[in-house]
C-alpha cells in the first residue's frame, strides 16, 4: 500500500511503520507476548492493505478494536514521532500532559491540577512540603519529627500558604477540605517514589560493588549462601506418641539453605528446614555439610539411584574436604547476622562475611540461579506444587489430587537434585562443575586453606560455640545455659569455678555439651543437661519454643520428659484445633529416630484413622490419593535433570 493510500484511510504516520521500534518480546511474559504479537499482526496486516474482515479472521480482533489500536499507534508523541508499537503494550496508554495553568489558583474552585499549579508558582513551598512529607523535617527546624500525622502536615501547609500571602478565594482555601486530600495523595506518591529510588540506589551500589570487584580469580575464593522457600502443598503423616492413631500436619513451606562456589558454580553444601523461616542453626548445618565429606543416602526407592560422579565436591577427593573459602557472600537476614552463626563461621572456616541487601538477586546471581533450577527441574514438576506465581497452570487446586510422598523420599529427592546439578556443565567450560574443582586442586597452582587436622573433629561434632558463666545452686557449681541446667564431674574437680567465664561447645542436639575455661583453656569435660531435658533429642529452636510454652502453660514444668510432654500437648492442639502443625512437623524431624515419619495424602473416601477428631478429618477432606505413584513420577523427574542442568 502506498503512503498516499495510508494517509487517505485516516491514519497518517503508517507510512513510516517500517521505522517503528519494536519492544523486546523476550522480556515479556508468555501471555503478554502473545497478546502483543496478535495486536502487532493486526496493525501490520492493515498497513499491507488487508481488509478488516480478513484481519478479524486471522487475529479475532474486531474492526472497532483495530481502529482503536491504529489511533493509539499513530498518535504523535511529545518527541514528534508516532508512538508506534509501544502503544500496544498494556499500561502504555498515551495520555495528554495535563496543563497546570496558573489560572486554576485564582479560579475560586478546586480544579484538577490546582495543587501542582500552586507548586509551579511557589517552588519553595513545594521544596518545604517535600522535606516535611518525605524527611519529616518541619520548617524552621533541622531535626526530623516522626510523630507528624497528615493532620499536622496539612496545618503546616496552610500556615506556609498564609506566609506567602495566599488568601481566600485562592486555592487551597477554595476547597472544601482546603487541599488536604490532594496534599495527602501527592505526599504518599512522593514517599513511594523516594522509597523506590532509595531501594534501587542501594541495590545498584551493591551490584556495582559486586561487578567492580570482578569475578573470582580462583576456586573457593568466593562462596554465596542463601535460603530459599520451596512452596509446597503436602501433608505430613505423624504417628501419635501413645499409638492412638495418625495425626496429619499440612506442610506448606520447605526451606533449602545452600552454599555455592562462584568460580565453578558447584553446590558445596546444603541443609533443609521445615517451618515459617530458617534460623542460624540451619545455616550452620549447611556450612558443616560443605566441609565434612558427603555420604550417599540410603535411597528409599529402588528404582532411583546415584550415577557415577554424583556427589558434593568434598566427597570427590580427599583434598576437597575441609577446604576453607575466603569470602562468604550473604544478605542481611537475621539468621545470617546471628552470633551463633558468625561465631561458628569464625572458629571453623574463618571466612570473611560480605553482607548485602535482601531481595537483591543481581547481587548474588549464582545462588539465585541454583534455586531457580531446583524449582523448575524439581519441585514444580511434582504434583502438589504451588507454582511460581498465582496464575501458574502447574499450581495444584483446592480439590486437585495430592502427591503421595514419604519424608525420606523427599529428602532423597533434594539430595539427588543437588548432586545431579553438580554433574551439569559449568558455564564457560565443557566439563562438569565437580570436575572444575577437582582439576583446580590437582593443578596445585594455588594454596588452599583447610581446617587443621586437630580441629576437624570439632567441625563435625560441634556447631555451636558460645560464651557463658558458671553459677551455683545451693552452694554447688552449676552451668545454666539456654534455659536449662548442666552438670558433670568436671564442675566438681576444680575449685573456685563459680563466676568463671567458659566456652560452651554444643552440637545440634543440646543434651550434651563440652565446656572449656576461658582463662586458661583447660577443659571441664562433657556436661549433661538436667533429667527432664535428657531423654529426647532437641535443638536450640525447639528448646526456645518449649520454654516459651512452659512460661504460658506451667503444666509441663515438672514433666519427666519436657520435649515429649510438649509434643503430646501439641498433638492434642493439632487434633482439636489444627494449630501448631508446623512446630509438630519440626519436632518430628528432630525426633525421627523415635518415630517413623511419612508424607502422605488423605483420602476422603477412606475411613478416619483412630486418634483423629471429626474436625481434623473434615479439614483434610480436600485431599485425595494421587493417580501417580512415587517411582513413576520420580523416575521421570530424575531423568529430566540430566538435560535441564546442562
Amino acid at each position: 500500500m502506498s503512503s498516499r493510500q495510508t494517509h487517505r484511510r485516516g491514519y497518517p504516520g503508517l507510512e513510516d511503520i517500517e521505522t517503528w521500534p519494536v519492544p523486546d518480546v523476550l522480556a515479556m511474559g508468555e501471555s503478554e507476548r502473545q497478546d502483543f504479537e496478535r495486536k502487532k499482526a493486526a496493525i501490520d496486516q492493515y498497513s499491507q492493505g488487508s481488509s478488516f474482515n480478513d484481519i478479524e479472521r486471522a487475529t479475532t480482533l474486531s474492526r472497532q478494536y483495530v481502529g482503536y489500536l491504529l489511533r493509539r499507534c499513530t498518535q504523535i508523541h511529545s518527541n514528534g514521532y508516532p508512538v508506534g508499537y509501544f502503544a500496544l503494550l498494556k499500561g502504555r496508554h498515551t495520555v495528554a500532559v495535563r496543563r497546570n495553568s496558573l489560572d486554576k489558583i485564582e479560579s475560586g474552585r478546586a480544579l484538577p491540577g490546582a495543587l501542582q499549579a500552586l507548586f509551579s508558582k511557589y517552588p519553595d513551598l513545594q521544596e518545604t512540603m517535600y522535606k516535611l512529607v518525605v524527611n519529616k523535617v518541619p520548617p524552621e527546624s533541622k531535626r526530623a519529627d516522626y510523630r507528624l500525622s497528615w493532620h499536622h502536615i496539612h496545618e503546616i501547609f496552610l500556615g506556609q500558604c498564609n506566609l506567602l500571602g495566599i488568601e481566600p478565594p485562592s486555592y487551597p482555601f477554595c476547597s472544601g477540605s482546603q487541599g488536604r486530600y490532594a496534599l495527602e495523595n501527592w505526599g504518599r506518591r512522593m514517599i513511594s517514589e523516594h522509597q523506590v529510588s532509595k531501594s534501587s540506589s542501594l541495590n545498584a551500589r551493591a551490584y556495582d560493588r559486586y561487578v567492580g570487584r570482578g569475578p573470582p580469580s580462583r576456586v573457593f575464593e568466593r562462596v554465596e549462601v542463601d535460603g530459599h522457600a520451596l512452596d509446597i502443598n503436602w501433608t505430613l503423616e505423624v504417628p501419635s506418641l501413645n499409638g492412638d492413631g495418625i495425626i496429619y500436619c499440612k506442610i506448606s513451606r520447605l526451606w533449602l539453605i545452600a552454599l555455592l562456589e562462584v568460580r565453578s558454580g558447584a553446590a558445596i553444601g546444603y541443609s533443609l528446614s521445615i517451618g515459617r523461616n530458617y534460623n542460624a542453626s540451619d545455616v550452620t548445618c549447611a556450612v558443616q555439610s560443605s566441609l565434612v565429606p558427603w555420604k550417599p543416602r540410603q535411597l528409599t526407592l529402588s528404582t532411583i539411584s546415584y550415577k557415577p560422579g554424583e556427589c558434593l565436591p568434598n566427597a570427590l577427593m580427599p583434598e576437597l574436604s575441609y577446604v576453607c573459602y575466603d569470602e562468604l557472600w550473604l544478605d542481611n537476614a537475621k539468621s545470617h547476622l546471628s552470633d551463633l552463626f558468625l561465631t561458628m563461621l569464625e572458629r571453623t572456616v574463618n571466612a570473611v562475611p560480605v553482607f548485602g541487601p535482601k531481595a537483591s538477586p543481581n547481587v548474588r546471581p549464582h545462588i539465585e540461579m541454583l534455586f531457580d533450577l531446583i524449582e523448575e527441574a524439581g519441585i514444580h514438576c511434582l504434583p502438589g506444587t504451588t507454582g511460581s506465581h498465582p496464575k501458574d497452570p502447574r499450581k495444584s487446586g483446592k480439590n486437585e489430587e495430592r502427591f503421595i510422598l514419604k519424608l525420606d523420599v523427599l529428602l532423597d529427592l533434594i539430595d539427588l537434585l543437588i548432586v545431579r546439578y553438580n554433574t551439569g556443565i559449568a558455564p564457560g567450560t565443557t566439563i562438569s562443575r565437580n570436575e572444575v574443582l577437582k582439576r583446580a586442586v590437582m593443578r596445585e597452582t594455588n594454596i588452599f586453606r583447610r581446617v587443621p587436622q586437630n580441629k576437624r573433629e570439632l567441625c563435625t561434632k560441634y556447631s555451636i560455640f558460645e560464651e557463658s558463666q558458671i553459677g551455683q545452686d545451693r552452694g554447688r557449681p552449676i552451668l545454666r545455659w539456654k534455659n536449662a541446667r548442666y552438670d558433670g564431674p568436671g564442675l566438681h574437680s576444680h575449685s573456685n569455678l563459680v563466676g568463671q567465664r567458659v566456652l560452651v561447645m554444643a552440637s545440634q542436639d543440646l543434651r550434651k555439651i563440652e565446656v572449656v575455661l576461658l582463662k586458661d583453656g583447660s577443659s571441664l569435660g562433657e556436661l549433661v543437661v538436667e533429667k527432664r531435658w535428657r531423654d529426647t533429642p532437641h535443638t536450640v529452636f525447639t528448646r526456645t519454643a518449649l520454654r516459651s510454652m512452659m512460661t504460658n502453660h506451667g503444666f509441663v514444668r515438672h514433666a519427666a520428659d519436657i520435649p515429649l510432654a510438649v509434643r503430646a500437648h501439641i498433638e492434642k492442639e493439632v487434633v482439636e484445633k489444627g494449630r501448631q502443625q508446623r512446630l509438630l512437623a519440626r519436632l518430628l524431624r528432630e525426633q525421627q529416630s523415635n518415630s517413623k515419619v511419612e508424607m502422605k495424602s488423605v483420602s476422603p473416601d477412606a475411613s478416619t484413622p483412630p486418634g483423629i477428631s471429626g474436625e481434623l478429618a473434615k479439614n483434610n477432606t480436600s485431599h485425595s490419593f494421587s493417580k501417580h505413584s512415587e517411582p513413576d513420577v520420580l523416575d521421570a523427574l530424575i531423568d529430566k535433570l540430566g538435560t535441564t542442568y546442562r
Side-chain angles (χ1 to χ4, degrees):
M1 176 180 292
S2 66
S3 60
R4 182 178 301 175
Q5 290 174 321
T6 303
H7 182 78
R8 190 165 54 242
R9 296 181 74 170
Y11 301 105
L14 278 179
E15 63 272 9
D16 300 326
I17 190 173
E18 296 180 355
T19 63
W20 288 0
V22 180
D24 185 9
V25 296
L26 297 178
M28 303 179 187
E30 183 65 22
S31 59
E32 183 182 2
R33 181 183 60 81
Q34 293 178 359
D35 180 72
F36 170 78
E37 290 179 346
R38 185 176 57 162
K39 295 176 181 178
K40 182 178 180 297
I43 299 297
D44 293 341
Q45 291 178 24
Y46 180 84
S47 66
Q48 295 169 6
S50 300
S51 65
F52 284 110
N53 292 333
D54 294 339
I55 295 175
E56 186 172 1
R57 282 192 293 268
T59 64
T60 69
L61 298 179
S62 65
R63 176 192 183 101
Q64 293 78 5
Y65 192 66
V66 173
Y68 164 71
L69 295 178
L70 287 167
R71 288 192 297 271
R72 287 188 57 190
C73 292
T74 56
Q75 187 176 359
I76 303 301
H77 196 267
S78 58
N79 58 12
Y81 297 96
V83 179
Y85 292 124
F86 281 92
L88 304 179
L89 299 177
K90 292 183 178 180
R92 292 294 186 92
H93 296 277
T94 57
V95 182
V97 179
R98 176 179 291 170
R99 296 174 56 190
N100 296 324
S101 174
L102 298 181
D103 296 337
K104 296 179 179 180
I105 305 176
E106 307 296 339
S107 64
R109 294 183 300 161
L111 299 176
L115 181 64
Q116 293 296 336
L118 182 68
F119 286 156
S120 299
K121 185 175 181 179
Y122 302 101
D124 293 340
L125 175 62
Q126 181 179 8
E127 183 179 355
T128 300
M129 297 310 300
Y130 184 86
K131 291 181 179 179
L132 179 64
V133 170
V134 175
N135 302 326
K136 303 297 183 183
V137 179
E140 308 299 333
S141 177
K142 296 182 179 179
R143 300 182 61 181
D145 187 359
Y146 295 97
R147 298 172 297 177
L148 291 174
S149 64
W150 287 109
H151 175 73
H152 296 141
I153 293 174
H154 181 246
E155 287 185 345
I156 296 175
F157 170 66
L158 296 180
Q160 293 296 311
C161 291
N162 288 328
L163 292 177
L164 294 173
I166 303 175
E167 298 177 353
S170 299
Y171 186 85
F173 300 102
C174 60
S175 169
S177 63
Q178 294 187 328
R180 174 173 177 176
Y181 299 125
L183 177 66
E184 187 171 342
N185 292 335
W186 173 83
R188 294 186 186 278
R189 188 170 66 253
M190 293 299 103
I191 293 174
S192 177
E193 292 177 0
H194 174 74
Q195 291 176 347
V196 171
S197 175
K198 183 178 179 181
S199 176
S200 301
S201 177
L202 288 174
N203 292 346
R205 287 202 299 268
Y207 182 70
D208 290 342
R209 181 182 62 176
Y210 182 89
V211 175
R213 301 185 66 172
S217 59
R218 55 184 177 83
V219 297
F220 291 106
E221 178 182 341
R222 186 181 304 167
V223 171
E224 295 178 0
V225 62
D226 202 358
H228 185 72
L230 304 174
D231 292 323
I232 55 180
N233 195 9
W234 295 324
T235 302
L236 181 67
E237 185 180 88
V238 179
S240 178
L241 280 175
N242 300 324
D244 296 333
I246 301 299
I247 299 174
Y248 293 93
C249 297
K250 296 180 181 178
I251 302 300
S252 58
R253 179 163 294 184
L254 179 72
W255 285 93
L256 172 63
I257 303 96
L259 283 86
L260 185 135
E261 201 283 317
V262 175
R263 182 70 175 180
S264 63
I268 60 176
Y270 76 96
S271 65
L272 294 175
S273 177
I274 298 176
R276 185 188 299 272
N277 208 333
Y278 63 97
N279 54 31
S281 298
D282 300 321
V283 187
T284 298
C285 291
V287 173
Q288 277 187 322
S289 68
S290 69
L291 302 175
V292 182
W294 172 86
K295 295 181 180 179
R297 292 177 55 86
Q298 296 293 329
L299 299 179
T300 308
L301 299 177
S302 59
T303 56
I304 57 177
S305 61
Y306 294 98
K307 294 182 179 180
E310 290 185 349
C311 62
L312 292 183
N314 50 34
L316 198 61
M317 55 189 302
E319 289 78 7
L320 285 173
S321 60
Y322 300 101
V323 175
C324 301
Y325 20 93
D326 298 338
E327 297 178 354
L328 184 64
W329 287 61
L330 64 173
D331 60 22
N332 290 319
K334 289 185 177 180
S335 55
H336 300 161
L337 299 172
S338 171
D339 291 339
L340 186 149
F341 167 66
L342 294 178
T343 303
M344 182 269 176
L345 184 68
E346 180 182 0
R347 290 182 173 272
T348 54
V349 182
N350 198 21
V352 177
V354 181
F355 293 99
K358 293 191 293 184
S360 302
N362 290 334
V363 180
R364 293 167 296 276
H366 303 86
I367 192 71
E368 297 297 335
M369 179 190 66
L370 168 65
F371 292 144
D372 290 342
L373 288 174
I374 292 295
E375 282 197 334
E376 294 302 320
I379 300 300
H380 290 337
C381 297
L382 293 175
T385 178
T386 59
S388 58
H389 54 84
K391 295 184 179 180
D392 194 332
R394 298 171 297 185
K395 182 179 180 180
S396 299
K398 199 172 201 178
N399 298 323
E400 192 172 340
E401 298 173 339
R402 302 297 194 253
F403 184 45
I404 307 173
L405 187 64
K406 298 178 181 178
L407 178 60
D408 290 336
V409 177
L410 172 63
L411 300 178
D412 295 344
L413 169 64
I414 298 296
D415 196 64
L416 284 167
L417 289 172
I418 295 292
V419 299
R420 186 145 302 183
Y421 165 81
N422 285 342
T423 60
I425 303 300
T429 67
T430 58
I431 58 178
S432 67
R433 297 174 175 90
N434 277 346
E435 191 68 21
V436 171
L437 293 177
K438 181 178 179 181
R439 295 188 182 186
V441 174
M442 294 178 62
R443 284 196 298 266
E444 297 183 356
T445 57
N446 297 314
I447 299 177
F448 297 98
R449 292 188 304 112
R450 303 181 68 194
V451 179
Q453 188 73 34
N454 57 349
K455 291 185 178 181
R456 293 180 184 177
E457 183 179 358
L458 295 179
C459 290
T460 58
K461 188 175 182 181
Y462 301 121
S463 59
I464 302 174
F465 301 89
E466 191 171 277
E467 293 186 12
S468 185
Q469 185 175 359
I470 296 179
Q472 60 179 343
D473 183 19
R474 299 178 183 179
R476 302 173 65 247
I478 200 76
L479 177 63
R480 293 181 176 86
W481 184 68
K482 299 297 181 185
N483 299 314
R485 295 180 298 176
Y486 288 82
D487 197 359
L491 292 179
H492 309 289
S493 60
H494 293 70
S495 59
N496 301 325
L497 288 180
V498 178
Q500 295 289 334
R501 301 291 299 177
V502 295
L503 173 66
V504 178
M505 298 181 293
S507 62
Q508 294 296 316
D509 186 2
L510 300 186
R511 292 181 295 175
K512 294 181 181 180
I513 62 175
E514 187 171 343
V515 179
V516 176
L517 280 173
L518 290 177
K519 67 175 183 179
D520 56 6
S522 59
S523 176
L524 298 182
E526 192 174 73
L527 305 185
V528 183
V529 73
E530 54 186 299
K531 188 175 181 180
R532 56 181 184 165
W533 294 95
R534 191 178 302 168
D535 295 335
T536 306
H538 57 279
T539 63
V540 174
F541 173 85
T542 303
R543 182 178 291 181
T544 303
L546 300 192
R547 288 296 304 187
S548 176
M549 296 187 64
M550 291 171 61
T551 303
N552 301 324
H553 306 280
F555 64 93
V556 296
R557 188 177 299 275
H558 303 290
D561 192 333
I562 290 179
L564 287 185
V566 176
R567 177 179 164 185
H569 170 68
I570 295 175
E571 286 184 1
K572 184 178 179 181
E573 281 198 348
V574 170
V575 170
E576 295 179 352
K577 304 177 182 179
R579 300 177 180 174
Q580 301 285 358
Q581 298 187 31
R582 189 179 292 111
L583 180 57
L584 180 59
R586 192 172 183 110
L587 286 175
L588 251 294
R589 179 92 189 277
E590 297 174 4
Q591 303 171 11
Q592 57 185 350
S593 58
N594 298 336
S595 60
K596 189 175 181 180
V597 183
E598 292 183 348
M599 282 278 188
K600 275 191 178 182
S601 57
V602 188
S603 173
D605 301 328
S607 59
T608 303
I612 299 184
S613 65
E615 181 179 355
L616 186 65
K618 182 179 178 181
N619 294 337
N620 287 284
T621 54
S622 61
H623 297 266
S624 60
F625 283 107
S626 173
K627 296 179 181 179
H628 306 284
S629 62
E630 289 171 349
D632 295 338
V633 175
L634 292 182
D635 283 347
L637 176 62
I638 297 301
D639 291 340
K640 179 182 178 181
L641 300 182
T643 57
T644 304
Y645 286 159
R646 287 168 173 80

